[in-house]
Amino acid sequence: MTRERAGKRSYTRTERKRGRYIKARPAGDRPEDIAFDATLRAAAPYQSQRRATSDNDLALKLRRTDLQRKVRVRRTGNLILFVVDASWSMAASERMEATKGAIFSLLVDAYQRRDQVGLIVFQRDRARLVLPPTNSVELAQKALRELPVGGKTPLSSGLYLAWQVIENARRRDSELRPLMILLTDGAGNVSMTGMPAQEEANRIAELFQQASLRSIVVNMEHAAFDRGLAQKLAEALGGTCYNLPDLRAETLLSTVKREIEL
């Protein structure tokens, strides 16, 4: 995957024939959308030999192995899904305000870039999809006006709901580029299945890595008490862990933008 300069939308490889042709590769058993320029270049070195061993007088002698298929890219959008721990295990109100600020900033240019932003919060006994994926600032303002905080930490529920939201979005658009931003200290204490809560969360996290879904964990544990749980969770996700001791909307926004542009 490649990306234009900041402020532009992402590019992703596509199997459609409407994308921009960037290179070619051997067609193999898929002789379709043929790149004629690349096919001619592949066949050119063998023309003298083929003329010497052929009885026909064709100007150009092609073999199936010469065929080159176009590789195309097209513009696509990002789904930026925030998943936020709203329990008392962290300074939840502060985290929520920083998240709201980052969401609103991302939504300002989301329409132009085809990006969507969503928000899941988890606290007490379950996770809730507070803001379904959208590029509407007005809808976000209504959804984020008041968010509950407090209670236990159903981390695995938050991860599982995030997985469902992303999978549903990918079914609607297979070329969408999802990115999950998880704000947590990595400590869960509510289980959905009766399995130990921490083990359950790590197993659900592995689904993200197996599907090559992009994710980052913003570690909310105070440095003096950090048990390394957020880092372990990021490893299970196959993502990156950031420590942002001075969490503000600006720092969270800049972190997310760096990840989008990778």
Side-chain angles (χ1 to χ4, degrees):
M1 295 180 182
T2 62
R3 184 173 177 84
E4 290 189 334
R5 66 189 66 165
K8 300 294 184 180
R9 288 171 289 186
S10 301
Y11 278 103
T12 187
R13 281 177 56 168
T14 179
E15 296 300 319
R16 304 178 187 180
K17 296 182 180 180
R18 294 168 54 190
R20 181 162 63 88
Y21 166 37
I22 58 167
K23 62 180 180 179
R25 64 184 178 188
D29 58 356
R30 297 183 62 187
E32 56 193 48
D33 199 15
I34 296 300
F36 291 104
D37 57 334
T39 298
L40 293 177
R41 287 194 297 271
Y46 307 103
Q47 293 307 299
S48 297
Q49 176 185 349
R50 290 173 184 176
R51 288 194 187 97
T53 58
S54 176
D55 296 332
N56 62 53
D57 58 353
L58 294 175
L60 178 68
K61 296 177 172 57
L62 295 178
R63 302 288 185 269
R64 187 182 182 90
T65 53
D66 299 328
L67 296 179
Q68 302 290 308
R69 186 167 175 265
K70 291 179 179 178
V71 175
R72 298 179 182 269
V73 295
R74 64 182 287 268
R75 291 183 186 274
T76 188
N78 298 283
L79 167 58
I80 305 153
L81 183 62
F82 290 88
V83 183
V84 183
D85 183 347
S87 70
W88 287 128
S89 62
M90 306 183 307
S93 298
E94 178 187 345
R95 314 307 180 216
M96 208 63 73
E97 288 306 310
T99 304
K100 287 181 187 180
I103 287 175
F104 288 134
S105 296
L106 287 167
L107 284 171
V108 169
D109 63 348
Y111 177 76
Q112 294 177 337
R113 294 169 56 191
R114 292 184 180 173
D115 288 344
Q116 293 185 322
V117 181
L119 172 64
I120 290 171
V121 297
F122 57 95
Q123 45 105 224
R124 294 185 180 145
D125 61 344
R126 64 188 179 93
R128 296 189 299 120
L129 179 60
V130 175
L131 180 66
T134 182
N135 58 14
S136 168
V137 175
E138 181 180 357
L139 181 60
Q141 287 174 332
K142 291 179 180 178
L144 304 181
R145 190 168 292 132
E146 293 183 8
L147 294 175
V149 296
K152 294 183 179 180
T153 312
L155 174 59
S156 55
S157 178
L159 288 170
Y160 186 63
L161 181 55
W163 167 262
Q164 291 178 310
V165 170
I166 289 173
E167 285 298 293
N168 288 338
R170 292 174 81 194
R171 277 194 287 270
R172 291 190 295 270
D173 181 358
S174 61
E175 294 171 353
L176 187 73
R177 297 187 66 205
L179 170 65
M180 180 181 70
I181 296 93
L182 176 60
L183 286 81
T184 181
D185 58 5
N189 54 27
V190 177
S191 172
M192 298 187 298
T193 63
M195 182 184 298
Q198 209 65 40
E199 180 183 349
E200 182 182 70
N202 285 331
R203 288 200 180 186
I204 295 174
E206 290 171 358
L207 295 174
F208 287 78
Q209 181 168 187
Q210 292 166 6
S212 300
L213 295 177
R214 298 180 301 158
S215 63
I216 63 174
V217 177
V218 180
N219 184 9
M220 296 290 97
E221 185 72 280
H222 191 283
F225 306 103
D226 193 356
R227 294 165 288 173
L229 296 177
Q231 177 62 48
K232 290 179 181 178
L233 185 61
E235 292 170 0
L237 288 163
T240 306
C241 183
Y242 288 96
N243 296 296
L244 300 180
D246 183 19
L247 182 65
R248 301 190 308 274
E250 296 80 7
T251 56
L252 183 56
L253 177 63
S254 62
T255 301
V256 172
K257 283 190 170 182
R258 283 198 304 271
E259 288 291 329
I260 292 174
E261 293 172 10
L262 289 179

